[in-house]
Amino acid sequence: MVNVWKVSTLVLAGALVIVVGKGAVQESSACEGEQPSAEQVTRLRLARGFAFLERAEQEVELASAARPKDRANALAQIAKAKASIELALGPAVEPEPRPLPKPKPKPIRIPRRVINESPATQAAGTTVPASLVNPFLVRR
């Protein structure tokens, strides 16, 4: 005896093959217009979040049985979140260009003195041996 479920499954599969094979199934899109950009989607989500915070603020204000300290803390946090979203929704402010650094002045070249002579001995006209100034300057 033939199972009715097996026969109906084969008939429906054959009908599906015929419909798809003839091209009766076409690709469609739910939205024929342009897709919103990522920036537009972000702004929309921020606006929805702001509206949610407005409703949350109203609900917290109506919660008269809550402890005053907790209620004030919740309202402060909601105000902080709303300020952040308002800042994000505001017009994009381009940062000011950083000023160029001032050019560094050229170093003044000071003539080198002879190591063996100190200013006092140069003025007196006598020379001091290098071993007295620094023993590591003496060649061996």
Side-chain angles (χ1 to χ4, degrees), residues 11-13 18-19 34 42 46 54 67 73 92-93 97 101 104 116 123:
V11 170
L12 289 175
I18 291 171
V19 169
E34 294 180 19
T42 301
L46 286 173
E54 288 284 332
R67 288 187 267 178
N73 187 22
V93 178
K104 294 181 180 178
N116 292 341

Side-chain angles (χ1 to χ4, degrees), residues 58-95:
Q58 292 172 357
E59 292 293 325
V60 170
E61 287 174 355
L62 293 175
S64 59
R67 288 187 267 178
K69 185 176 180 182
D70 294 338
R71 196 169 147 205
N73 187 22
L75 289 172
Q77 293 297 325
I78 289 173
K80 184 177 177 182
K82 283 173 53 177
S84 296
I85 290 177
E86 283 177 348
L87 184 64
L89 283 174
V93 178
E94 295 182 17

Side-chain angles (χ1 to χ4, degrees), residues 33-54:
E34 294 180 19
Q35 298 293 328
S37 67
E39 182 178 338
Q40 291 171 337
V41 171
T42 301
R43 292 186 65 78
L44 179 64
R45 288 181 177 167
L46 286 173
R48 287 180 185 163
F50 189 80
F52 173 78
L53 288 173
E54 288 284 332

Side-chain angles (χ1 to χ4, degrees), residues 3-32:
N3 192 348
V4 177
W5 296 108
K6 290 181 182 178
V7 173
S8 66
T9 303
L10 291 174
V11 170
L12 289 175
L16 181 64
V17 168
I18 291 171
V19 169
V20 173
K22 287 188 174 183
V25 178
Q26 295 178 358
E27 183 178 335
S28 65
S29 177
C31 182
E32 296 294 329

